Amino acid sequence: MMEPLALYIHWPFCAAKCPYCDFNSHVRDRIDQAGFATALRRELAHEAARANQGGRRRLASIFFGGGTPSLMDPATAALLIEDARRLFEAEPDLEITLEANPTSVELAKLRAFRAAGVNRASLGVQSLEPAALAFLGRRHDAAEAIAALEQARATFPRLSFDLIYARPGQADSAWRAELRQALALAADHLSLYQLTIEPGTQFATLFGRGAFTLPEGEEAARLYTATAEEAARFGLLSYEISNYARPGAESRHNLAYWRYGDYLGIGAGAHQRLTLPDGRLLASRRHRGPEEWLARVLRDGHAVVEEEALSPRDRAREALLMGLRLTEGVDVQRIEQRSSLPFAECVEAEALQDLLAEGLLAWRTPTRLAATPDGLLRLDSLLPLLVR
C-alpha cells in the first residue's frame, strides 16, 4: 500500500484500424469528446476513492494509451492530469506519457498536450521504409515520421518511438540500416517489436491464407540479436525483451507493470491491479465497447465487468510472467512479498534446475532470477514449464 501507483488512461478511438492490431481500438465517424471526458474523470474519481481507502496513495506515472489518445482534445488530458494530481500525492518527477501517431492532425496538437502537462511522448512510427509502412497500414510516410520525431524531440523532455521488425522478407542488413537511421534521430527510448500474428486481426486472415510469411527460427533470432547490437551502439540498452533505453530513460510506467506494482486502468477495456487495505489484490477489467462503457460510467460511476481477488498462486504466476521479461529479472523476495508464498512453491523445481543447467535462466544475485539472452529468445516456450 505504501508503493506508488501507476495510472493508465485508455482512449479507444483510432482514425483507422491497422491490420496487425488486436488492441481495444475502434473507428468512429464522430466522437462525443465532452461525454468521454466527463466519463473518464468520473471513473478516475471512483477508482481513486477505492485506492485511497488506506490513505492517499502516491502517483508515479500517468500513461495515455489507446487507441490513439492524441486524437482526444488536449483540454481533456489537462483535466485528467489536474484531477490525478489532486486525488493522489504526485511524485515530484511524475512521468506523463502520451501515445501519438506521426500524422499532421496529431502533430498540430503536440504543443497543446505539452502545455496540458504531458512530459513524455511515444510515437507509433513502426517503420521508416515506404513499402513497410504501406504493408502495415500506416497513414503516414517516412518523411512525416522523421518530421514528427524532430518536432516531438523539440516539444517534450523525453521521447520514445515504436518500430516493428521481422516483417516479410526483411533481411538482417536492411533492418540494421533502418534501425541505424532511426537511432540517429536521437530518441532516448525505443520499443522494437517483432511482428506477430494476433488472432482476430486482418493479418491473421491473410497469414492463414498464405498471403505472406514471416521470419522464424534462426532468421528471427538473428534479427533480434541485430536489434540489441545496433541499439547498444547508440547507447540504448535492453531493459525488457522489446524495450531499449539510455540509462535513466526507461519507461517508469511500464516498469510498474513488469515489476508487478499496483496500477489503475480507466477507460473502455482497461485492466488494473489494486491492493486493498485488507491485503487483497483485485484484478479488474472494464467493458470494452466505448459506447457501453460510457453509458455504464455515467450511470454507475464505473464500467467494471470483471473483478476478482487474485489467489496467492495467481499473484506469484503473474509476477514471474511479467518480471522475467526484464533484463534485471525478478527478485525472489518481491515475489514472496506479493504472493505470500515461499518461492519454492511458485515454480516447478525440476524445470527450474533444467533451465538453469541449459543456460536459459541464471541467478544474477542470490535472490534475483533472470532469463539469459538465449532464454529471452525462447521466453514464450520456457515460461509454461517454469510457472506453476
Side-chain angles (χ1 to χ4, degrees):
M1 290 291 296
M2 300 303 295
E3 295 182 359
L5 286 166
L7 169 62
Y8 176 79
I9 300 173
H10 189 75
W11 185 259
F13 302 111
C14 285
K17 185 77 172 179
C18 295
Y20 56 84
C21 177
D22 70 338
F23 293 166
N24 186 37
S25 60
H26 306 263
V27 179
R28 297 288 188 270
D29 292 332
R30 181 183 174 277
I31 299 169
D32 180 2
Q33 291 273 354
F36 276 88
T38 297
L40 285 168
R41 297 182 71 192
R42 185 171 296 182
E43 193 163 57
L44 174 57
H46 172 85
E47 289 304 330
R50 294 211 296 173
N52 290 332
Q53 290 178 68
R56 196 159 177 251
R57 294 287 296 266
R58 289 153 52 216
L59 181 67
S61 65
I62 303 173
F63 194 103
F64 291 93
T68 308
S70 50
L71 294 177
M72 76 164 60
D73 286 340
T76 299
L79 289 169
L80 288 163
I81 293 168
E82 180 182 338
D83 286 352
R85 287 185 174 277
R86 174 175 48 81
L87 293 165
F88 301 104
E89 190 68 38
E91 299 277 73
D93 58 348
L94 180 66
E95 176 188 88
I96 307 176
T97 302
L98 176 89
E99 291 184 332
N101 288 318
T103 65
S104 57
V105 171
E106 294 167 65
L107 287 181
K109 296 181 175 182
L110 290 186
R111 290 188 181 88
F113 280 113
R114 178 69 185 106
V118 174
N119 55 28
R120 182 176 182 270
S122 178
L123 296 187
V125 172
Q126 312 311 0
S127 178
L128 295 176
E129 294 293 325
L133 287 169
F135 171 72
L136 295 170
R138 304 302 289 167
R139 295 167 65 88
H140 62 272
D141 59 28
E144 286 177 309
I146 292 170
L149 288 168
E150 292 172 345
Q151 182 174 331
R153 169 56 69 196
T155 305
F156 297 96
R158 297 175 61 198
L159 173 64
S160 176
F161 61 95
D162 301 351
L163 294 176
I164 294 175
Y165 69 101
R167 307 185 299 257
Q170 187 176 37
D172 178 21
S173 58
W175 171 232
R176 286 180 183 271
E178 182 179 357
L179 189 51
R180 286 172 190 168
Q181 182 184 4
L183 288 161
L185 295 168
D188 50 25
H189 185 286
L190 283 178
S191 296
L192 305 171
Y193 299 109
Q194 287 197 30
L195 179 59
T196 55
I197 304 301
E198 302 295 344
T201 62
Q202 183 182 346
F203 269 3
T205 301
L206 295 171
F207 187 77
R209 293 175 182 168
F212 62 88
T213 59
L214 297 180
E216 57 184 17
E218 291 186 6
E219 187 179 5
R222 283 196 300 272
L223 289 167
Y224 180 81
T225 300
T227 301
E229 290 176 352
E230 294 299 330
R233 290 180 67 244
F234 284 80
L236 277 71
L237 305 180
S238 169
Y239 72 99
E240 190 269 346
I241 193 167
S242 299
N243 286 273
Y244 302 78
R246 299 186 192 280
E250 298 86 356
S251 168
R252 294 196 289 275
H253 183 85
N254 287 335
L255 281 172
Y257 300 150
W258 296 319
R259 290 173 175 165
Y260 206 51
D262 277 12
Y263 60 92
L264 301 182
I266 68 167
H271 292 243
Q272 74 180 31
R273 297 291 185 272
L274 177 64
T275 304
L276 299 183
D278 61 10
R280 288 181 300 151
L281 178 60
L282 293 185
S284 310
R285 182 183 68 80
R286 305 179 193 285
H287 199 286
R288 289 174 58 87
E291 289 78 17
E292 179 63 21
W293 170 85
L294 177 65
R296 288 176 181 237
V297 174
L298 295 179
R299 184 188 68 210
D300 303 326
H302 69 89
V304 172
V305 291
E306 291 181 10
E307 187 164 85
E308 64 171 324
L310 295 176
S311 70
R313 196 165 300 284
D314 285 338
R315 298 186 194 192
R317 184 175 185 276
E318 288 190 344
L320 274 166
L321 290 173
M322 298 298 285
L324 284 175
R325 297 178 60 89
L326 290 167
T327 304
E328 70 184 22
V330 293
D331 190 309
V332 167
Q333 295 173 332
R334 173 68 172 171
I335 292 175
E336 292 179 337
Q337 173 202 10
R338 290 295 269 168
S339 69
S340 302
L341 288 175
F343 181 69
E345 295 184 20
C346 303
V347 296
E348 296 290 349
E350 186 175 345
L352 175 59
Q353 293 307 314
D354 288 345
L355 293 169
L356 289 167
E358 293 172 26
L360 300 176
L361 295 178
W363 289 104
R364 299 289 188 224
T365 71
T367 63
R368 185 168 290 279
L369 181 68
T372 64
D374 286 342
L376 286 172
L377 283 170
R378 297 169 55 182
L379 195 60
D380 287 345
S381 60
L382 67 85
L383 284 175
L385 303 174
L386 178 66
V387 178
R388 280 192 170 183

